[in-house]
Amino acid sequence: PVLEKSSSTIRGTVHSHLSCEPRSVEYARINTIGDWRWRLGNQSITWEFEVPESGTYNLGIRYLQWWHDGLPAYRQVLIDGRVPFAELLSYRFPHTREWTTEVLSDREGKPFDMDLAEGTHTLTLVVKMGEITPLVQSLYYDNLELSELLLKIMMITGSEPDVNYDYELLKKIPNLPETLQSLYDSIESKSEYARTLATKNPGISNQLRQVMGVFQSMIRDPESIPRRLNDIRNAQSSLGTWYLALQEIPIVLDRFEIVPSGSPVREVRIGLFERVRAFVSNLLVSFVKDYDSLGTTSDGEATPRQIKVWIGRGKEWAEVIRQLAADDFTRNTGISVRMNVLPASQLNAGAINALMMAISAGKAPDVALCVSNNSPVEFAIRKAVLDLSAFDGFDSVTEDFLPGILVPFEFENGMYGLPETMNFKVLMYRKDVVSQLGIGLPNTWEDLYQDVLPALYRNNLQFFYPQDFTPFLFQRGGSFYRDGGVRSGLDAPEAFQAFREYCELYTHYGIPVTASFYNRMRTGEIPMGIAGYPDYLLLTTAAPELAGRWGIAPIPGTEKEDGSIDRSVGGIAGEADVILSSTRDAEAAWSFLSWWLSADVQVDFAREIEAIVGTEARWNTANIRAFSRLNWKGEDLEVIQSQWAWARDMENVLGGYFTSRHLNNAWNRVVLGNQDVRSALEEAVEDIDKELRMKQEEYNRRWTTDGEASP
């Protein structure tokens, strides 16, 4: 039993190996601790144990460490709060794919003797990087140097150089051969050093040798550098990946054993009969076990009320929700929750899927989490979900959401879903490149056209803009629909002006139609662009060489007559949660949903998920109070919060699913097909109105000459 942990996210884990106690065969039993939750520097676990009589003892630890293909993991060992001797400041646990009992010993294999007095003692293990530290530090500096070199090359050659042209890189980039040779020598030394640490030839050593081959060929033939840009990009990515990965080496622990000096530690041997029995047992259970179900939150105890919740996320996410509900919601309300995990695509409207079929069969759950943001209204049209605004406490729950984010869930004066996650859109830029070129951040679109784009193009660099019509439309006061959603609003003058400017970004100003913003931002090819939450996380977690060298700012806006800048943007709403109309206990379902979306629960969930999966899984909760309490950089959070004031979103109406399709068709006709803007947009409006009218008629509404629709 654990006495103390440095983080509440370190928890017991389940391992199915027969030698782990208690055995986890038919049912999942918590029988180990550590694993991926226990991987970050200075995380610690403390246990308590009794010594029957004073004497000299040895310490054996049964562990599993199969990460990073041969490299060891390191833990500091403390007895009663202090390190007994220097060898335990950072003890080496060799890589092993089998459960192994490591008796703490010196490098010659002689066990360490520890003098312990009779009574209670503590054992603490702390995560350390040990001998991997110099490898990680060197990888960072090599990656940084390679990133700067790649940017210098591309500012001369561009992102797609002419392989037959002589760019005279040796003249234009000082000390280029020396830089390449320095990188080659440094990477070679790391490859050899990794071999000395590992019990076998590690994967990092092989990948570093591949990177060495790239530099070797460029040293021999400098004129080949322009056609090897992709090889340099891949080398940069490989170095960055290993830099991040080596900082996190978990260990799984089964037990530790204190034995008198010289006595053997216990080894568990699993015989053939036990293996066969476990196999047969698992086979029989597989015929009756529901692998999609996580069970209930009541630990088998009878409860007067129970609801069923379907979750469209991975099992790790669902397990955390179940644990939080068991510890808090069920304990305080007496309502148990039975949870099932389904693929996200199985909870959305618009296609044949598990939720739609369950609704048709009368076997739908009470609550569905993680449905697409257009699905609540689609379900509401079919009367399959409840109007959440009718429940007590609705106003207090929605106080924690941005007003604009609720728009996609409104239908006929009701609210049929609540947002679970949200996106944000900001201007992302490379600080080093912007400073080097003397480029100012664009405050308006005119600043972008007149100042930023010419400066970038002069240096063979580009700007990124995703295919998003909403900023141009909303900043001009336009709307996707009018007359209560029965007609398209894209035939208005402001919509035409917005669509023309949107298309001219690509036809007049040379914005790339498609590009991987993360990859090109990392290499420097696109040092500035508008992007959202996914790219922000990628740059934060997967581009270590850019740490401190990039930032975010509000998106460019449109200047109004009074001099203010309108920065409105749509596409903010992420996944949503709904209560199905077939529920037998609507109040219990609402109680769970309001609990789940509350700020404290969202923060707890976010921290648990980040501890399990990593920073790359940072929870983009739609609860703004919870969002502000997560581990965002202070300066970045200020920018995101300032952009919240301009958050808007697109309504969902009868037949509205065709709007984005026809708008994209119009964009394709203009940008890719050279059709004039007006005729392309008018054709799209005609097609959109046709679909809206068909849906109004399908649901028994009268389409009047003045655009009004009524039951």
Side-chain angles (χ1 to χ4, degrees):
V2 173
L3 177 66
E4 189 177 73
K5 300 172 293 183
S6 63
S7 171
S8 61
T9 59
I10 301 174
R11 294 188 176 185
T13 56
V14 177
H15 202 282
S16 60
H17 197 275
L18 295 177
S19 64
C20 296
E21 299 174 354
R23 291 183 177 178
S24 176
V25 183
E26 294 92 348
Y27 301 96
R29 301 183 187 278
I30 296 175
N31 53 7
T32 55
I33 193 169
D35 210 319
W36 192 246
R37 294 173 180 260
W38 189 41
R39 70 191 187 279
L40 303 177
N42 289 326
Q43 284 186 324
S44 64
I45 306 176
T46 299
W47 296 267
E48 194 174 70
F49 63 94
E50 294 288 334
V51 172
E53 60 181 80
S54 300
T56 302
Y57 291 85
N58 299 145
L59 171 61
I61 298 177
R62 190 167 192 267
Y63 77 99
L64 184 66
Q65 198 283 97
W66 50 271
W67 288 268
H68 298 326
D69 194 24
L71 291 177
Y74 295 85
R75 296 294 185 267
Q76 188 175 91
V77 182
L78 298 91
I79 302 294
D80 297 332
R82 66 180 185 87
V83 180
F85 27 83
E87 289 82 355
L88 297 185
L89 284 170
S90 184
Y91 188 81
R92 175 177 178 170
F93 287 86
H95 178 275
T96 175
R97 291 184 175 275
E98 300 293 337
W99 281 102
T100 302
T101 300
E102 172 78 6
V103 178
L104 302 193
S105 311
D106 59 24
R107 292 298 172 91
E108 284 71 41
K110 181 182 178 182
F112 293 130
D113 291 333
M114 303 177 187
D115 294 327
L116 299 175
E118 179 183 347
T120 303
H121 297 268
T122 61
L123 167 67
T124 303
L125 297 181
V126 186
V127 179
K128 296 294 179 182
M129 292 181 63
E131 297 167 303
I132 295 178
T133 302
L135 184 60
V136 173
Q137 292 174 337
S138 181
L139 278 171
Y140 172 76
Y141 290 113
D142 284 350
N143 205 10
L144 185 61
E145 186 174 9
L146 180 57
S147 176
E148 293 174 349
L149 176 61
L150 179 59
L151 180 58
K152 291 177 182 178
I153 294 172
M154 286 192 301
M155 289 179 69
I156 297 172
T157 66
S159 59
E160 297 180 0
D162 183 348
V163 296
N164 297 313
Y165 184 80
D166 183 6
Y167 291 93
E168 299 183 331
L169 295 178
L170 294 178
K171 294 181 180 179
K172 296 177 180 178
I173 301 179
N175 304 317
L176 178 57
E178 291 82 1
T179 301
L180 292 173
Q181 186 63 51
S182 174
L183 284 168
Y184 177 87
D185 294 340
S186 178
I187 292 171
E188 182 181 33
S189 66
K190 279 189 284 292
S191 176
E192 294 303 321
Y193 182 69
R195 287 173 181 267
T196 65
L197 296 180
T199 55
K200 49 175 267 188
N201 187 24
I204 183 175
S205 182
N206 293 329
Q207 289 200 19
L208 291 179
R209 290 202 166 275
Q210 293 178 10
V211 174
M212 288 165 54
V214 173
F215 289 116
Q216 189 175 47
S217 62
M218 290 191 296
I219 292 170
R220 291 175 178 172
D221 183 11
E223 293 183 357
S224 69
I225 293 177
R227 62 175 180 267
R228 291 186 175 275
L229 285 185
N230 282 334
D231 293 336
I232 302 176
R233 295 186 187 107
N234 293 335
Q236 180 191 34
S237 177
S238 179
L239 294 181
T241 299
W242 278 106
Y243 169 76
L244 294 172
L246 290 180
Q247 296 180 59
E248 301 176 341
I249 303 186
I251 291 181
V252 188
L253 300 184
D254 179 22
R255 67 171 185 270
F256 67 92
E257 194 168 351
I258 308 291
V259 299
S261 180
S263 300
V265 295
R266 181 164 60 102
E267 286 288 356
V268 180
R269 305 294 182 185
I270 305 301
L272 177 62
F273 176 74
E274 289 180 287
R275 294 177 185 272
V276 172
R277 185 173 64 178
F279 172 80
V280 173
S281 177
N282 275 326
L283 178 63
L284 295 176
V285 168
S286 69
F287 290 102
V288 295
K289 185 176 180 179
D290 182 0
Y291 288 93
D292 292 328
S293 175
L294 297 178
T296 66
T297 59
S298 57
D299 295 329
E301 299 178 5
T303 56
R305 304 169 74 182
Q306 183 181 98
I307 60 172
K308 183 182 293 185
V309 176
W310 284 9
I311 304 170
R313 296 193 183 275
K315 189 173 182 180
E316 294 86 355
W317 279 257
E319 182 58 44
V320 172
I321 299 175
R322 191 199 69 81
Q323 189 62 51
L324 290 173
D327 294 343
D328 185 6
F329 177 73
T330 298
R331 181 174 297 177
N332 293 324
T333 64
I335 302 170
S336 66
V337 183
R338 175 170 291 278
M339 296 190 177
N340 287 72
V341 180
L342 286 84
S345 60
Q346 295 299 304
L347 297 182
N348 298 330
I352 298 176
N353 56 54
L355 183 56
M356 294 290 284
M357 290 190 289
I359 292 172
S360 302
K363 297 182 178 181
D366 299 277
V367 178
L369 306 184
C370 187
V371 303
S372 64
N373 57 37
N374 67 318
S375 291
V377 167
E378 291 294 329
F379 287 134
I381 293 170
R382 297 159 177 80
K383 302 188 183 304
V385 293
L386 295 181
D387 177 7
L388 303 182
S389 63
F391 288 99
D392 293 337
F394 172 80
D395 291 337
S396 62
V397 172
T398 54
E399 284 177 356
D400 288 342
F401 301 123
L402 298 172
I405 204 174
L406 298 174
V407 171
F409 315 119
E410 297 176 358
F411 182 70
E412 294 184 342
N413 300 318
M415 186 71 66
Y416 293 91
L418 287 177
E420 183 177 81
T421 61
M422 67 178 175
N423 191 11
F424 56 80
K425 292 183 181 176
V426 291
L427 178 74
M428 300 183 187
Y429 64 98
R430 286 277 297 268
K431 294 180 179 179
D432 54 342
V433 178
V434 167
S435 176
Q436 180 181 344
L437 300 180
I439 302 175
L441 300 181
N443 194 37
T444 65
W445 296 106
E446 285 302 316
D447 294 339
L448 176 68
Y449 306 146
Q450 301 298 327
D451 302 325
V452 174
L453 293 182
L456 291 176
Y457 292 157
R458 282 195 298 269
N459 291 277
N460 290 315
L461 304 177
Q462 294 178 314
F463 184 89
F464 176 78
Y465 184 80
Q467 293 182 21
D468 182 8
F469 178 49
T470 62
F472 299 100
L473 180 66
F474 292 154
Q475 289 175 17
R476 283 174 169 74
S479 178
F480 282 95
Y481 305 102
R482 60 184 175 89
D483 301 332
V486 299
R487 288 189 185 276
S488 173
L490 299 180
D491 55 357
E494 58 270 18
F496 168 72
Q497 295 169 2
F499 187 69
R500 180 177 61 186
E501 184 173 3
Y502 171 49
C503 293
E504 286 179 350
L505 271 179
Y506 306 93
T507 59
H508 285 33
Y509 294 105
I511 302 296
V513 173
T514 59
S516 170
F517 177 62
Y518 157 70
N519 286 323
R520 296 196 180 187
M521 176 83 158
R522 187 176 186 181
T523 60
E525 298 167 70
I526 299 182
M528 186 183 295
I530 293 174
Y533 161 78
D535 285 303
Y536 178 91
L537 272 193
L538 279 173
L539 290 170
T540 301
T541 60
E545 73 281 359
L546 295 186
R549 300 167 62 198
W550 68 282
I552 65 174
I555 69 169
T558 301
E559 186 172 356
K560 298 298 186 180
E561 293 181 358
D562 60 1
S564 62
I565 305 296
D566 189 328
R567 304 184 191 278
S568 298
V569 65
I572 305 301
E575 293 86 6
D577 302 334
V578 298
I579 297 177
L580 282 300
S581 56
S582 57
T583 177
R584 296 183 179 180
D585 195 339
E587 291 301 325
W590 170 248
S591 180
F592 171 81
L593 191 59
S594 56
W595 166 85
W596 160 239
L597 295 175
S598 65
D600 290 341
V601 174
Q602 287 289 291
V603 170
D604 290 342
F605 175 77
R607 290 173 177 168
E608 287 284 337
I609 284 298
E610 196 164 334
I612 296 172
V613 183
T615 308
E616 59 271 24
R618 181 168 298 164
W619 183 239
N620 55 328
T621 174
N623 187 305
I624 57 176
R625 285 200 298 130
F627 190 101
S628 301
R629 289 163 57 186
L630 301 183
N631 193 29
W632 307 97
K633 288 174 59 178
E635 57 185 306
D636 291 351
L637 181 60
E638 290 181 8
V639 173
I640 295 169
Q641 289 174 330
S642 70
Q643 191 64 56
W644 282 349
W646 302 102
R648 291 186 57 182
D649 236 312
M650 178 179 173
E651 312 95 303
N652 282 313
V653 301
L654 285 168
Y657 52 83
F658 260 92
T659 296
S660 58
R661 181 183 302 180
H662 289 303
L663 194 58
N664 286 336
N665 289 341
W667 181 90
N668 287 331
R669 289 194 292 269
V670 174
V671 176
L672 305 180
N674 297 319
Q675 186 174 345
D676 68 280
V677 174
R678 183 173 295 278
S679 62
L681 185 60
E682 288 177 349
E683 184 178 343
V685 171
E686 183 179 350
D687 291 336
I688 292 169
D689 277 344
K690 183 186 299 183
E691 186 65 26
L692 294 179
R693 181 174 182 175
M694 290 174 57
K695 282 298 177 184
Q696 295 290 333
E697 294 175 348
E698 180 181 345
Y699 285 89
N700 298 319
R701 290 167 175 267
R702 293 194 303 273
W703 183 276
T704 62
T705 56
D706 58 357
E708 294 293 333
S710 58

